[in-house]
Amino acid sequence: MSKYEKLLKGKMSEESFQKLIRLENEKVMDFIGEFAEHCNPVSLYVCDDSEKDRMYIRQTAITKGEEKIIYLKNQTIHWDGYNDQARDKTNTRYLVLPENMERMKALNSIPYDEGYNEIMEIAKNIMDGKEAAVLFFCEGPTESVFSIPCIQITDSFYVAHSETILYRPGYNHFLHMKVKDDFFKFIHSAGRLDERGCSINIDKRRIYMDTQNNIVYSMNNQYAGNSLGLKKHSMRLAINKSGKEGWLCEHMFLMSVLNQEKGRKTHFAGAYPSACGKTSTAMIPGEKIVGDDITYFRKIDKEFRGVNMEQGIFGIIKDVNKDDDPVIFANLMKDQETIFSNILIGPDNRPYWLGCGMTTPDEGDNHHGRWKKGDRDEKGNEVPLAHSNARYTIRLDYLDNFDSDAFEAKEGVKVEGILYGGRDSDTTVPIEESPTWKDGILLKACTLESETTSATLGKEGVRTPSPMANLDFLSYPLGEYTMNNINFVNGIDDPPKIFSTNYFLKYPQGDFVTGKLAKKVWLHWAEGRIHGEYDAYDTPTGKIPIYNDLKKLFRELLNEDFSEEDYNYLFTFRCTQWVEKLRRTGAFFRKIDPGTPAEIFAYWEQMEKKILAAKAKYGDEIKPGAFKG
Ligand code: SPV
Ligand code: MN
């Protein structure tokens, strides 16, 4: 019997209360009770997995004005506040015990008591006068070895609605689960709202994570990356949990590559920093998608197996148009459950966004309010028709290329290829295979970088280190995480092959060397290598394709010519560039985690020597095939 039963009974319908009682879980009662008391909503609505409850959540988001129906009745628009359009890195912190503060310094931490007191102060009565929703989800397939049960309490019905689209329902999982006290807990409040339903107290926006107790507090925000417990908050808890338990939580898509000719299906996962081609790889025409953002990996029967922990996409909408992203675009034009956020709704009540490939109106409603072309914000900056981080939220099973069998598999799918995809204009070749798993982690995963383009703020051409594309979500020190990645495959018979990709090589005069779909060729070369096909040339850092194989693949898959001249340019090994890249990586690790094991630095130093020796022998630019070890 929980001490909060009376309080909870008084704040909810009998039906809601019975849903809690049926779970026979005191820990669940205590969590909900504690925050029902502390945040003090007028009432709470408890959801089970029924269609009725899902519809109640969506309908309430509309009734409360957090979402509006647009010209297709199953689609809605939600606006986050003008200053709540992306993840707030500064105010996202780990609550860390004093003895661990030193190690966690680089990961934006706050001493436990100080942070806990601050967030509880902010949360006190924050739901005053509002209704809150209590939702149960399961990350990964329910009742499987991957499952992580989660509870979300929120006073934002937009947040609740988004989660019903993006995550597997979990009430029944909670009903049946044997271990009753191991679940993730998320408490969110949008705080006080303005007349558009946006959070007012952005200066009190805080996202504090307690990995000791698997709870995340998120206050005074709505942007999904800040508000949805199961998205990036949960990912941080899962990274910590996986580190302790010996599995992996990675910022990776999961896909199935289909070889029609050989009748093969091969699963790949891939990590890409933002704007490096993650979604476009997962959505390559002719292949299948299993997940687009977060994958859990476990060893099962000596196999490397992965699941998509989500069931929907919270995707960047910018540049989704009928030419560049035909599958997503077609789905956004259908009358099916979709939440658009921070785009423009025109006078015709239709959705428009940057790069949508349609003629856009000169006025409408957007993240800044009533908008017309040329409007300026409070700081005098011109307000674009939509935010560049505007999003769509849909279920994956709408997509024709969704691999539902792979998605449903309780034991996940066997992953045979891992891709680490960076962005640079002059260093990394389009595809390179790593000789071993460990080399792959240290040379492909740890050295990932993205290069700024004219589309991002600041100087063009700056390379930002992004190890494993996961740094924003690391919840324990980078060196330890790297070692866990290396050691994860111990005991696995046939670890995946690791590949690096780079779709962004340019000729010195500034043009990209290949078209957008060349990535399909690189991927199919990797697929062939996994199955023992294609010879390869060695480079100091791995193995690259031979011209004739690529020429054939370009012809077969894209019906394109691929010139030997382009091949030689693309696959040249550039010694100085690589040495610089290794030095940047080493310096970055020393800064972020001075405790990184010495063997990691020693590996990079050794590699640098190998490259310098190759440079002395073959020259600074080594043409494919020239390097002989
Ligand atoms: C990302 O930024 O990696 C996303 C969107 O997937 S967010 O929810 O903001 O994290
Ligand atoms: Mn992501």
Side-chain angles (χ1 to χ4, degrees):
M1 167 97 181
S2 162
K3 65 175 179 188
Y4 294 107
E5 270 189 28
K6 191 154 167 262
L7 176 110
L8 287 170
K9 212 171 156 54
K11 279 187 183 284
M12 58 181 65
S13 69
E14 185 57 23
E15 197 182 338
S16 276
F17 187 67
Q18 284 308 320
K19 286 178 191 157
L20 292 185
I21 292 294
R22 221 171 302 139
L23 292 174
E24 296 176 7
N25 190 327
E26 204 179 315
K27 285 273 183 319
V28 169
M29 280 286 197
D30 284 350
F31 169 61
I32 301 168
E34 181 185 348
F35 288 96
E37 182 172 78
H38 189 76
C39 302
N40 197 22
V42 252
S43 63
L44 294 106
Y45 185 94
V46 178
C47 294
D48 59 21
D49 300 345
S50 65
E51 187 61 12
K52 176 181 154 222
D53 283 355
R54 260 180 20 79
M55 285 301 110
Y56 174 79
I57 294 292
R58 178 176 186 270
Q59 190 50 51
T60 308
I62 295 165
T63 317
K64 290 188 190 296
E66 296 178 38
E67 293 176 36
K68 283 194 176 61
I69 294 182
I70 60 171
Y71 89 114
L72 293 173
K73 67 178 187 324
N74 287 299
Q75 300 189 324
T76 52
I77 172 74
H78 164 83
W79 286 293
D80 300 309
Y82 192 66
N83 295 314
D84 189 23
Q85 295 283 325
R87 274 188 274 119
D88 178 354
K89 295 193 197 187
T90 315
N91 289 306
T92 299
R93 295 208 179 111
Y94 297 101
L95 301 177
V96 171
L97 299 172
E99 60 267 31
N100 295 330
M101 266 314 274
E102 189 57 33
R103 296 169 64 227
M104 290 289 287
K105 236 175 27 202
L107 300 178
N108 210 14
S109 302
I110 182 166
Y112 195 100
D113 289 344
E114 183 189 332
Y116 178 80
N117 292 337
E118 183 192 358
I119 198 79
M120 289 302 269
E121 181 61 36
I122 291 174
K124 180 104 187 119
N125 292 324
I126 196 168
M127 296 181 183
D128 198 9
K130 290 197 197 172
E131 176 180 2
V134 178
L135 304 107
F136 298 87
F137 296 104
C138 182
E139 295 175 344
T142 54
E143 298 178 68
S144 81
V145 57
F146 288 98
S147 310
I148 297 188
C150 300
I151 303 184
Q152 170 84 59
I153 308 175
T154 178
D155 61 11
S156 161
F157 282 75
Y158 155 72
V159 166
H161 180 203
S162 297
E163 289 188 327
T164 65
I165 295 174
L166 293 173
Y167 301 98
R168 291 168 174 94
Y171 182 81
N172 287 324
H173 181 94
F174 269 85
L175 263 183
H176 299 141
M177 69 192 193
K178 305 272 176 305
V179 181
K180 295 217 166 232
D181 57 357
D182 194 10
F183 53 88
F184 288 175
K185 302 171 272 283
F186 305 105
I187 172 87
H188 168 259
S189 172
R192 280 184 45 227
L193 306 176
D194 64 18
E195 67 289 349
R196 298 190 95 213
C198 298
S199 301
I200 292 174
N201 295 324
I202 293 294
D203 60 320
K204 291 257 169 347
R205 176 171 58 204
R206 298 288 183 277
I207 300 121
Y208 283 0
M209 270 146 311
D210 175 353
T211 54
Q212 290 85 184
N213 299 298
N214 285 326
I215 174 163
V216 180
Y217 311 82
S218 169
M219 301 290 146
N220 293 308
N221 64 69
Q222 290 181 45
Y223 170 68
N226 293 321
S227 61
L228 267 62
L230 277 85
K231 192 98 188 146
K232 293 309 192 314
H233 308 167
S234 152
M235 194 180 169
R236 295 176 177 97
L237 299 183
I239 288 174
N240 192 270
K241 186 175 168 70
S242 64
K244 290 184 203 141
E245 296 176 355
W247 50 281
L248 294 177
C249 165
E250 297 299 314
H251 195 198
M252 286 185 178
F253 67 65
L254 185 59
M255 71 185 295
S256 311
V257 175
L258 307 180
N259 185 322
Q260 304 290 358
E261 193 192 327
K262 304 260 165 58
R264 285 194 303 241
K265 186 187 206 181
T266 308
H267 300 290
F268 280 78
Y272 292 65
S274 55
C276 291
K278 186 177 182 186
T279 310
S280 60
T281 305
M283 293 292 295
I284 291 177
E287 322 298 347
K288 290 199 153 188
I289 183 169
V290 186
D292 84 318
D293 200 27
I294 306 167
T295 302
Y296 291 166
F297 297 104
R298 283 184 181 264
K299 274 183 257 205
I300 302 178
D301 294 338
K302 301 190 178 168
E303 283 186 357
F304 189 109
R305 302 195 67 95
V307 295
N308 176 7
M309 73 84 141
E310 308 184 279
Q311 67 166 20
I313 306 190
F314 173 62
I316 294 182
I317 200 165
K318 180 167 176 263
D319 295 333
V320 172
N321 55 57
K322 73 176 186 334
D323 296 325
D324 293 329
D325 213 336
V327 179
I328 300 282
F329 185 80
N331 273 282
L332 298 182
M333 294 293 120
K334 285 188 196 166
D335 192 10
Q336 57 192 3
E337 190 174 7
T338 306
I339 307 175
F340 291 104
S341 45
N342 308 317
I343 61 163
L344 177 75
I345 300 300
D348 54 3
N349 213 19
R350 288 174 190 255
Y352 300 94
W353 56 89
L354 299 172
C356 61
M358 303 181 276
T359 310
T360 52
D362 290 341
E363 59 179 338
D365 289 286
N366 71 5
H367 58 300
H368 194 249
R370 183 54 38 104
W371 174 85
K372 58 182 185 341
K373 200 173 179 169
D375 276 356
R376 291 185 180 272
D377 67 13
E378 294 67 16
K379 291 191 178 141
N381 299 318
E382 185 165 342
V383 181
L385 78 100
H387 196 274
S388 58
N389 194 29
R391 302 268 174 163
Y392 60 88
T393 301
I394 56 170
R395 299 171 60 92
L396 271 160
D397 62 11
Y398 290 162
L399 308 181
D400 291 340
N401 57 336
F402 177 55
D403 191 338
S404 53
D405 295 340
F407 175 80
E408 302 288 346
K410 298 257 187 215
E411 304 223 313
V413 292
K414 180 177 177 190
V415 176
E416 297 183 87
I418 300 277
L419 306 169
Y420 287 100
R423 180 181 190 119
D424 67 59
S425 48
D426 61 10
T427 309
T428 318
V429 298
I431 182 114
E432 185 178 60
E433 176 188 323
S434 171
T436 69
W437 173 265
K438 180 176 173 184
D439 295 309
I441 295 300
L442 292 174
L443 274 186
K444 311 288 189 232
C446 292
T447 65
L448 257 194
E449 293 179 308
S450 66
E451 186 175 308
T452 51
T453 66
S454 53
T456 43
L457 291 174
K459 210 163 125 231
E460 210 173 318
V462 176
R463 282 152 218 230
T464 312
S466 182
M468 289 78 160
N470 213 3
L471 199 68
D472 281 354
F473 315 108
L474 271 201
S475 41
Y476 67 97
L478 180 58
E480 209 181 307
Y481 167 71
T482 303
M483 289 313 292
N484 280 344
N485 256 273
I486 292 172
N487 293 329
F488 177 70
V489 298
N490 295 344
I492 289 181
D493 280 344
D494 192 11
K497 277 188 188 294
I498 294 181
F499 301 87
S500 59
T501 70
N502 175 22
Y503 307 143
F504 305 95
L505 282 175
K506 286 181 178 172
Y507 277 122
Q509 64 271 26
D511 297 327
F512 287 117
V513 182
T514 51
K516 284 189 181 161
L517 271 181
K519 51 175 85 77
K520 188 172 175 86
V521 170
W522 318 139
L523 192 56
H524 277 260
W525 181 78
E527 190 267 355
R529 286 289 298 172
I530 287 167
H531 296 283
E533 293 159 7
Y534 308 130
D535 284 332
Y537 289 135
D538 284 325
T539 75
T541 52
K543 291 171 185 301
I544 54 168
I546 288 167
Y547 172 64
N548 279 331
D549 292 326
L550 292 181
K551 183 179 164 166
K552 193 162 158 279
L553 284 167
F554 265 95
R555 177 58 59 206
E556 281 171 12
L557 296 169
L558 305 177
N559 199 22
E560 275 180 25
D561 275 333
F562 181 57
S563 74
E564 195 151 10
E565 190 197 339
D566 282 349
Y567 166 78
N568 279 321
Y569 184 77
L570 287 169
F571 287 94
T572 290
F573 187 87
R574 296 175 172 87
C575 297
T576 301
Q577 303 283 27
W578 253 100
V579 166
E580 283 172 2
K581 187 174 169 66
L582 286 176
R583 289 184 184 165
R584 282 194 300 272
T585 304
F588 188 71
F589 270 68
R590 269 181 229 283
K591 185 176 95 190
I592 298 291
D593 183 13
T596 299
E599 69 175 279
I600 292 181
F601 296 114
Y603 175 96
W604 290 326
E605 278 151 26
Q606 210 47 46
M607 182 55 60
E608 183 176 326
K609 286 199 187 113
K610 183 175 173 186
I611 296 171
L612 290 173
K615 180 177 165 179
K617 193 160 166 195
Y618 303 101
D620 195 27
E621 299 202 341
I622 309 175
K623 290 282 165 238
F627 178 78
K628 299 287 181 238

